Amino acid sequence: MSMQRQLRVLAGVDVGAEPGLLIAFATSDLKHVDQHFGSAERFAIYRVEAERVTLSQVAEFGRLDHDGNENHLLEKFVLLDGCSAVYCQAVGPSAVRQLLGLGVQPMKVPEMSSISALLGGLQHELRQGAHGWIGRALARQRRDKKRFDAMESEGWED
């Protein structure tokens, strides 16, 4: 099933702002992680910084069953491209490989895990000095920024 509705929160991003991560949650109620990745009806995506969390996007899909057909996952991969992680109740091995290939860390959490508590934990780790997948995601952002800064300094010619 294709994406049915999408809400993007357009807000200015301060170029010199502290590093932040885009984190997705598979959720039916926008409060808890209560969906399997493949059949998730909705994803809420937040920008998480050490001192601020902002809702970036909500995307809704139709009802999907666990049918083994991975074609329906393509739109979800496109949606999550650029995210650092996706939190869900479960995720299949093929989807895990594809998510990791996109640089998205799949995170399995217990049913009804609170999104606000997970966001608070991420902020705490960002304030304390990120390790593990969070540290790698931030390092990847720094490499990308340096690469784009170098391209910009070369200038553009017509």
Side-chain angles (χ1 to χ4, degrees):
M1 169 92 30
S2 63
M3 188 180 321
Q4 292 183 339
R5 292 192 305 177
Q6 183 174 17
L7 164 73
R8 282 195 181 157
V9 180
L10 300 176
V13 176
D14 182 5
V15 175
E18 65 179 287
L21 303 172
L22 287 177
I23 307 295
F25 298 90
T27 178
S28 66
D29 64 4
L30 301 175
K31 296 179 183 182
H32 301 94
V33 177
D34 60 357
Q35 303 266 289
H36 182 285
F37 175 78
S39 60
E41 296 174 22
R42 180 180 295 126
F43 287 93
I45 301 175
Y46 290 84
R47 180 171 170 75
V48 182
E49 300 168 7
E51 301 303 325
R52 179 172 62 171
V53 172
T54 53
L55 178 65
S56 176
Q57 187 172 173
V58 176
E60 291 185 1
F61 296 84
R63 181 159 170 67
L64 296 171
D65 295 319
H66 306 275
D67 60 4
N69 179 358
E70 295 187 11
N71 292 335
H72 68 272
L73 297 180
L74 180 59
E75 277 194 277
K76 292 179 180 179
F77 293 133
V78 170
L79 173 74
L80 299 178
D81 191 20
C83 288
S84 296
V86 59
Y87 283 75
C88 52
Q89 276 189 303
V91 59
S94 176
V96 167
R97 283 190 300 276
Q98 292 175 74
L99 287 165
L100 290 172
L102 289 172
V104 180
Q105 179 68 46
M107 303 294 292
K108 292 194 283 186
V109 294
E111 185 173 354
M112 300 306 285
S113 293
S114 164
I115 291 174
S116 63
L118 292 167
L119 290 168
L122 289 166
Q123 282 188 290
H124 177 75
E125 184 152 354
L126 286 170
R127 284 191 292 267
Q128 298 302 312
H131 298 15
W133 70 266
I134 296 175
R136 288 189 301 275
L138 291 172
R140 188 170 35 252
Q141 284 182 2
R142 285 190 291 274
R143 279 193 310 272
D144 289 348
K145 182 175 180 348
K146 285 180 185 176
R147 185 180 68 157
F148 289 122
D149 288 348
M151 288 170 52
E152 183 181 39
S153 69
E154 292 174 3
W156 294 87
E157 293 182 26
D158 291 332

